[in-house]
Amino acid sequence: MARDPRYDILFEPVRIGPVTARNRFYQVPHCNGMGHTRPRMLAAMRGIKAEGGWAVVCTEEVEIHPSSDASPAREGRLWDDRDLPALELMTEAVHAHGSLAGIELFHGGINSANRMSRMVSLGPSSRPVRTFDPIQVRAMDRHDIRALRRWHRAAALRAKRAGFDVIYVYAAHDLSVLMHFLSRRRNERTDEYGGKLENRVRLLREIIEDTKEAVGDRSAVAVRLAVDELLGAEGITAEAEGHDIVAMLADLPDLWDVNVSDWANDSAVSRFAEEGYQERHIAFVKQLTSKPVVGVGRFTSPDAMVSQIRGGILDFIGAARPSIADPFLPRKIEEGRIDEIRECIGCNICVSGDMTQVPMRCTQNPTMGEEWRRGWHPEIIPAKRTDEAILVVGAGPAGLECARALGQRGFDVHLAEAGTELGGRVTAEARLPGLAAWARVRDHRVQRIAAMPNVQVYRDSRLSADHVREFGMPHVVIATGARWRRDGVGRWHGIAPSGLDPSRVLTPDDVLAGAAVPGPVVVFDDDHFYLGGVIAEKLRRDGLEVTLVTPAAQVSAWTVNTLEQRMIYRRLIELDVELVTGHAVTAQRDANVELACAFTGRASCRPCGSLVALTARLPVDDLYLSLTADPDSLAASGIRTVSRIGDCEAPATIAAAVHAGHRFAREFGEGSTDEVPFRRDVEMFGAG
Ligand code: ADP
Ligand code: SF4
């Protein structure tokens, strides 16, 4: 299909200092959990983005010196020449598709605890490091400042040698020493690098000048700046210092990459921030500079992108997450295939990979991180090699993705779903406050399947084992999901507490199905991800008194990995949800629940009209078990294989269910082996 001419503006080339980007799609630097330890995996992932049409593809933060050691986080590394080959893999992969490669040089200042290098941490003033490591930084003296400038210059020169076209000076996210110098909160110096704003900007200006002098002949020099920390007067704000910093440096860099700080605000989840949410903070920048400006805002709609350009807000559409969810987003717009875009849902599962030091994964894009190690391409999947028909039972994320990908391979696919609606848990959860974007997991797949004549969908079709045998497809995939359990067993209670009567315990499945929930409500969250907090929010918005009880030390403990925990706290506190940490629900009495302190066991009571428990889920695997228990009748019906995937095999995240569905489809008919099913970047000697 031809491109809609309304979107032509997105495909104009834009000059950035000495280089030119072929269009306005710009993959801003983003972490990925691969970094210097998994260079081939990383290079392939970046190369795919270039292939998908991103004109500029950047690294994550790249440490310039061992005094900026982010270990155990897996970031980029450019301490010396030995780090060049790994980075060159990436520039080659990006250049192979005609895109520009950008590198974000990084010194972490008070953010670097230097756990591996054991070097003394450095910052503008003597302060504890930003992590909770029990160490403080040394206030940098003039010698240290000169050294930092030298390290940055050396790294820039190496980056140029490695082929980078855009070289960053990084002052964002409260993660960079340059931002720490800018910040009144972090910088209490009294010399020419502290005090008034001109002085706090001095080091940033010097490093931009150093970098331009060192590499500006061939590489563009970009500045990434947090123009607002969303902290009010204590932080940098777009109205005051953020504005003034840009005004002071206006045309010095070749490009401004601007955002809000910290990372949780910059990569805000969709529950708390809508598409384009940064516009109100960064809109002023273009008025102060003649240089191109890039900004982000989880842009997936080409109309929203065009309005950013036409409205004079941005020159480049920056993206981290939308480029992860769909590396081919630009190409799809360019080729008039808008309805094929796999839109980011804003869940930050990608971030959780980096936060837990493993390769990034994505809810929407199951091939993310698998490009090199499994050879998965986000758009291409090998065609079928046999003519086989497959019945997929259950149209949640696992079943939908399995049917879609099998259909893409050309198989004859039959997808049966018990309910009227498709989507399983994402359809149910998308009705909860703030989670509407979850429905994109369903919508993308339902839309793709609708265009496939070889995939039949049957709604209102709850299949029993007899039905499946009658269907008589040679291959059956069971994707029937999971249900929350009612007996209290989970991480905390290994044995069902005798004081809980399962017939009186509600679960999220009940709440989602519209069960009556008399107040006051106690939500017992032993799940620790987002759902406990969302259920509490929903019930509170329904007008009920709600107490959230968790045995963990913090509410929604795992959401620290998706950067949303602070916002969850704020939301629940503002709604007057009572938060009780370090306690477990042990018994239900008439109008009370009994709690036990997680540390002392001391008992206490709380009023409770309804107990909603999120403890663990049980696979809905009765269909799978009854089919596989009777191999003779399977054979008699012509059924050769029965498999289970997703929550029905082992309840997990939506991302895991999508991945399971995709993996099944990729591997179907390709033979199985006991070998490790993917390649590994084996660490090289000396690259440490
Ligand atoms: P997953 O995350 O693994 O995809 P979900 O729980 O989201 O799992 O989805 C499972 C889907 O399977 C639900 O839509 C459910 O209605 C459907 N389902 C469960 N049992 C059957 C069955 N026997 N026949 C057809 N569909 C079923
Ligand atoms: Fe978007 Fe979620 Fe994928 Fe991250 S994991 S890119 S937030 S869909």
Side-chain angles (χ1 to χ4, degrees):
M1 277 169 73
R3 170 169 91 215
D4 185 328
R6 277 182 304 159
Y7 305 141
D8 285 353
I9 194 170
L10 300 174
F11 295 92
E12 292 171 349
V14 181
R15 224 182 144 63
I16 317 172
V19 298
T20 301
R22 67 186 146 120
N23 64 35
R24 296 182 186 270
F25 291 91
Y26 191 114
Q27 183 244 276
V28 295
H30 70 74
C31 297
N32 47 72
M34 303 170 197
H36 66 282
T37 59
R38 296 171 176 123
R40 291 180 190 82
M41 194 180 208
L42 181 54
M45 182 269 281
R46 302 291 192 200
I48 292 269
K49 307 252 198 115
E51 184 188 348
W54 298 89
V56 184
V57 178
C58 297
T59 61
E60 61 285 10
E61 52 186 34
V62 175
E63 306 161 355
I64 59 169
H65 189 263
S67 62
S68 173
D69 159 34
S71 306
R74 281 136 193 276
E75 306 304 333
R77 189 161 280 177
L78 188 42
W79 292 356
D80 63 24
D81 281 359
R82 287 172 295 175
D83 294 309
L84 285 174
L87 289 164
E88 281 162 357
L89 289 177
M90 177 210 160
T91 52
E92 280 162 24
V94 170
H95 290 160
H97 297 285
S99 299
L100 302 175
I103 182 168
E104 184 178 68
L105 300 181
F106 160 73
H107 192 291
I110 66 166
N111 200 59
S112 293
N114 298 340
R115 292 174 185 166
M116 197 278 281
S117 73
R118 298 185 65 178
M119 295 189 80
V120 171
S121 301
L122 299 171
S125 304
S126 175
R127 292 289 176 88
V129 291
R130 214 171 146 256
T131 58
F132 287 168
D133 297 64
I135 58 172
Q136 297 209 178
V137 307
R138 178 174 86 225
M140 291 166 71
D141 59 20
R142 288 199 177 83
H143 168 83
D144 293 321
I145 290 176
R146 277 198 300 276
L148 178 72
R149 289 178 60 181
R150 256 192 343 266
W151 302 333
H152 200 282
R153 189 172 191 283
L157 285 167
R158 288 193 176 100
K160 183 170 123 179
R161 268 167 55 208
F164 284 101
D165 310 282
V166 181
I167 297 180
Y168 267 74
V169 176
Y170 176 50
H173 296 123
D174 201 15
L175 294 178
S176 148
V177 72
L178 298 177
M179 183 160 171
H180 302 147
F181 268 81
L182 291 177
S183 161
R184 281 188 299 128
R185 290 182 301 128
R186 308 287 186 209
N187 178 347
E188 56 186 347
R189 302 175 72 93
T190 53
D191 64 2
E192 69 272 29
Y193 290 97
K196 61 185 181 179
L197 185 62
E198 284 79 0
N199 285 353
R200 283 179 276 130
V201 170
R202 187 178 309 278
L203 183 57
L204 175 59
R205 179 193 293 280
E206 288 173 347
I207 289 202
I208 300 170
E209 287 168 350
D210 292 345
T211 312
K212 286 201 76 161
E213 186 272 318
V215 302
D217 57 325
R218 226 221 57 209
S219 307
V221 176
V223 170
R224 198 173 203 200
L225 179 74
V227 297
D228 205 312
E229 297 185 86
L230 309 188
L231 290 173
E234 199 177 309
I236 293 169
T237 62
E239 293 72 35
E241 293 195 337
H243 175 280
D244 295 348
I245 296 166
V246 179
M248 282 178 202
L249 301 173
D251 282 346
L252 191 55
D254 295 315
L255 173 135
W256 284 97
D257 175 346
V258 286
N259 60 9
V260 294
S261 182
D262 54 4
W263 190 15
N265 288 323
D266 188 24
S267 290
V269 292
S270 57
R271 185 173 165 201
F272 298 107
E274 72 291 359
E275 180 171 351
Y277 59 94
Q278 300 208 14
E279 178 179 332
R280 60 185 176 279
H281 305 293
I282 58 112
F284 73 89
V285 175
K286 252 191 85 59
Q287 286 142 32
L288 298 180
T289 177
S290 65
K291 300 302 170 83
V293 176
V294 56
V296 294
R298 232 177 41 247
F299 294 113
T300 56
S301 144
D303 293 308
M305 296 174 191
V306 168
S307 104
Q308 292 287 312
I309 309 290
R310 291 213 182 280
I313 311 293
L314 298 176
D315 298 290
F316 282 104
I317 302 303
R321 291 172 293 173
S323 77
I324 294 166
D326 196 341
F328 273 60
L329 188 152
R331 284 262 297 263
K332 289 176 182 174
I333 299 173
E334 189 170 21
E335 293 167 8
R337 298 187 287 129
I338 307 291
D339 56 351
E340 292 183 34
I341 295 173
R342 210 168 30 242
E343 291 184 290
C344 167
I345 71 166
C347 62
N348 280 4
I349 281 292
C350 47
V351 174
S352 77
D354 183 60
M355 296 291 282
T356 54
Q357 291 103 45
V358 292
M360 176 168 71
R361 68 266 346 258
C362 170
T363 301
Q364 276 285 57
N365 174 9
T367 67
M368 177 45 60
E370 306 286 15
E371 301 86 350
W372 175 79
R373 71 173 191 174
R374 290 188 198 264
W376 290 1
H377 188 282
E379 300 300 310
I380 303 165
I381 183 165
K384 65 174 183 175
R385 288 195 276 192
T386 52
D387 273 327
E388 310 234 46
I390 303 133
L391 170 65
V392 180
V393 186
L400 279 173
E401 174 61 14
C402 187
R404 187 207 63 76
L406 284 169
Q408 191 185 353
R409 292 191 63 193
F411 287 105
D412 176 16
V413 182
H414 300 261
L415 174 62
E417 163 56 44
T420 311
E421 292 182 294
L422 307 177
R425 65 177 286 195
V426 294
T427 294
E429 291 182 26
R431 297 197 181 101
L432 290 168
L435 300 189
W438 268 216
R440 292 174 167 185
V441 174
R442 171 198 66 205
D443 294 345
H444 171 70
R445 293 172 173 84
V446 169
Q447 211 166 15
R448 301 318 313 135
I449 285 172
M452 295 177 178
N454 54 324
V455 182
Q456 314 304 318
V457 179
Y458 311 92
R459 296 166 195 247
D460 296 314
S461 302
R462 179 173 295 282
L463 301 192
S464 63
D466 284 341
H467 291 135
V468 172
R469 283 187 288 259
E470 277 161 34
F471 234 110
M473 297 289 159
H475 303 282
V476 180
V477 185
I478 308 291
T480 44
R483 307 284 293 170
W484 287 94
R485 57 193 295 169
R486 305 177 178 280
D487 57 3
V489 170
R491 290 183 172 83
W492 185 259
H493 295 298
I495 297 168
S498 57
L500 286 184
D501 171 2
S503 70
R504 291 185 55 217
V505 174
L506 296 174
T507 71
D509 296 320
D510 301 319
V511 175
L512 287 164
V517 185
V521 184
V522 171
V523 175
F524 176 41
D525 187 2
D526 193 19
D527 176 55
H528 310 289
F529 197 16
Y530 61 90
L531 196 58
V534 180
I535 294 277
E537 177 179 345
K538 178 211 154 24
L539 296 172
R540 183 72 193 111
R541 287 187 189 280
D542 288 348
L544 300 164
E545 269 179 51
V546 180
T547 305
L548 190 149
V549 177
T550 177
Q554 292 194 318
V555 165
S556 304
W558 203 77
T559 61
V560 73
N561 296 313
T562 46
L563 303 179
E564 62 194 311
Q565 189 181 43
R566 215 171 53 207
M567 297 174 195
I568 291 172
Y569 261 97
R570 191 189 309 149
R571 172 70 51 85
L572 295 180
I573 291 167
E574 282 173 0
L575 285 172
D576 281 331
V577 172
E578 194 182 347
L579 305 177
V580 179
T581 55
H583 283 76
V585 174
T586 51
Q588 230 174 340
R589 312 275 172 232
D590 297 333
N592 289 309
V593 283
E594 207 170 278
L595 308 185
C597 169
F599 307 104
T600 63
R602 191 176 296 158
S604 55
C605 253
R606 308 200 74 89
C608 177
S610 304
L611 172 64
V612 181
L614 296 87
T615 56
R617 290 182 289 158
L618 286 169
V620 178
D621 54 6
D622 45 331
L623 181 59
Y624 173 82
L625 294 176
S626 74
L627 284 167
T628 51
D630 189 356
D632 293 341
S633 72
L634 283 183
S637 318
I639 298 176
R640 301 216 305 275
T641 65
V642 178
S643 313
R644 58 183 161 175
I645 56 168
D647 291 343
C648 159
E649 182 184 18
T653 57
I654 301 166
V658 171
H659 188 267
H662 191 84
R663 183 176 171 198
F664 180 90
R666 287 257 177 191
E667 295 177 350
F668 178 71
E670 302 296 309
S672 63
T673 136
D674 279 343
E675 302 294 313
V676 175
F678 43 75
R679 294 197 283 176
R680 289 181 294 156
D681 255 316
V682 179
E683 298 195 22
M684 287 168 283
F685 296 118

